Amino acid sequence: MALQWMFLLLLTPLLAAHNRDKPSPNTFGKLSEKGKCKAPSDWDSRLRFYPKRISYDLNEVVQLNCTGRFLPSVPQIQCISRGAQAMWNETATCKETCQQPQWDSQLQFSPNQNFYRVGEEVTLSCFLNSTPPLAVIRCANRIPPKQSNAWEVLAIGGTWHRLAQKLTCTMAKCPKPQWDAQLQFSESKTKYPQNTELTLTCPKGLEPSFPKVKCTKEFQRVSSGKPDYVDAWWGRNSRGAWTRIERDVLCTEMCQRPPWDSRLQLVPDQENYGKKEKVKLSCPGGLQPTYTEIKCQTGFQDYDDDVTQYSVQKEFWHARDSTGAWVPIQSSVKCIEVLQVDPETFEISSTSIKLKWTCRFPDACQGMRAMCRLAVPSSPPCEAEEVKGEQMLHGQEGTFTCSPLQPFTEYRVSIDLPPNTTLFSWLFTTEQTVPDKPEQLWLDPDRGSLRWNSLSSCKGEIIGYQVPRGQGRPSARAWSSVQAHWEGWKGTAGMTCRRKEKLRDPRAQYLYEQSFTQTASSPPPPPPPPPPPPP
């Protein structure tokens, strides 16, 4: 029995050492020699790696492909370092795909690929040059699995239906739409070819809701396994893009969508607005429009060319001001910053940050709060305490001061508006200050050297040290930069100053040292008082 226990005691550390050398079962791929990733051998056998090698260097990116009609789950993998191990950033497999349908030679596919992943959507069109789409299809799982292709089509109602027959492009013409009787078509016909751009006009003083239109056929639904198509009219909006016409095109007194700040959000969001129709304006977080409500007005504007006088009907936009009155908009509406913080007002010291703020829209600044936090978590040797709490800001303008802070440390100052809008965010670095002095000195009289531990740069960048030279009273000593009077320092853990001549009597010398940083506001401090001479 004693022999068995002895054998077990000897075997335990051997097994532990053996397990330490084995890779973790949770890593992606296999580990190879230190700093390299081994080519995976237990992944999907259909995967192909480019370049093809036995192992790959750290940070190397490998392109993936699959055999047959399969596609990799990710296009590439990378050899990364996790702790002391090198491994692949993720595991790849080969996914089932659908081959591009060979339905109609006129069909245009976007994106145009040979194979598509399951769930990938494809837009079909029958014409080039930014034509409206015929339908949207997607690759679906095969039912049964041996089915060569499985495609679904999106119906107008937003539901997906499996296609039993192919989609094709039809050249059938579209009948003239029964819109406003005042509309005049550039070509007066009863039917119009697909994808032919038509110009619409109205009697004097009126405007069509869409001045440019064209017709296409569009998939509507699957009926008894067959696709049904409907006429779809499209209009060119004020930005030049084609949009589907959902309502009748009318001749009305209208205002076009104003070409103001692209960040403006209009509700309702339309290309044209009726007379006296009101529109709400807003901007993304942290911004505010110069007006929050506008409405369309039309009227005649008089002109005089020194010969005749005439009037032209024009559109006008009016805005509701702070008193509730409607006033003409003289220029345009813009999104401007709610809060203004001028960098010229920043006051930064080694222990505080102060800034001045102004709220341009007092009603939009209710509940503002300011805070400052360490930009990155502190770590030894430069430990800094986190600044706690926050300050509520009131009124239209004021100042915010963040203190006490650690010198030569990066902080982020932010001003937020509930629930989650950031009005201001800035990175600051506090000023440098006078550093500490080295605590321990080592004097070697035989070698003529003075050594000390180097200081950290927690209070500023250390650019040099000052060491006293000479004998006698402190006032007779000369303080000089180490670089000028000593051969320099050696090693990384400490600093060494070595005189060119051996010290004659170290007991009679008062050797002190101090450090200094490069800061105009903090010159090197005066030398400390000397200790009593050694006995």
Side-chain angles (χ1 to χ4, degrees), residues 205-322:
L206 301 177
E207 292 289 337
S209 48
F210 284 98
K212 301 285 185 179
V213 297
K214 67 179 177 180
C215 167
T216 62
K217 296 294 182 179
E218 183 179 76
F219 172 83
Q220 183 182 32
R221 63 180 180 271
V222 173
S223 178
S224 301
K226 297 180 181 180
D228 281 349
Y229 301 96
V230 295
D231 297 332
W233 284 90
W234 294 72
R236 190 187 293 276
N237 60 26
S238 59
R239 293 185 291 270
W242 289 98
T243 179
R244 198 177 191 280
I245 300 176
E246 303 294 345
R247 297 180 293 180
D248 288 353
V249 179
L250 304 175
C251 287
T252 57
E253 294 181 348
M254 303 194 71
C255 295
Q256 289 189 345
R257 180 190 178 97
W260 297 334
D261 195 323
S262 60
R263 296 170 295 181
L264 279 171
Q265 300 165 355
L266 285 69
V267 178
D269 191 359
Q270 302 170 179
E271 295 305 320
N272 295 280
Y273 297 91
K275 186 177 180 180
K276 296 184 179 181
E277 184 176 0
K278 296 178 182 178
V279 184
K280 297 288 186 180
L281 302 181
S282 61
C283 295
L287 302 175
Q288 184 82 0
T290 48
Y291 294 104
T292 58
E293 188 177 14
I294 59 175
K295 71 177 179 180
C296 169
Q297 296 276 35
T298 58
F300 288 93
Q301 183 170 350
D302 295 330
Y303 291 91
D304 187 351
D305 58 3
D306 297 332
V307 178
T308 58
Q309 294 182 349
Y310 59 97
S311 299
V312 176
Q313 181 162 338
K314 294 191 64 177
E315 61 184 43
F316 300 93
W317 285 98
H318 286 63
R320 191 190 297 274
D321 64 13
S322 57

Side-chain angles (χ1 to χ4, degrees), residues 188-208:
S188 181
K189 299 179 179 179
T190 57
K191 292 186 177 182
Y192 296 95
Q194 293 185 55
N195 204 40
T196 299
E197 186 173 324
L198 303 172
T199 301
L200 303 182
T201 57
C202 293
K204 184 178 180 180
L206 301 177
E207 292 289 337

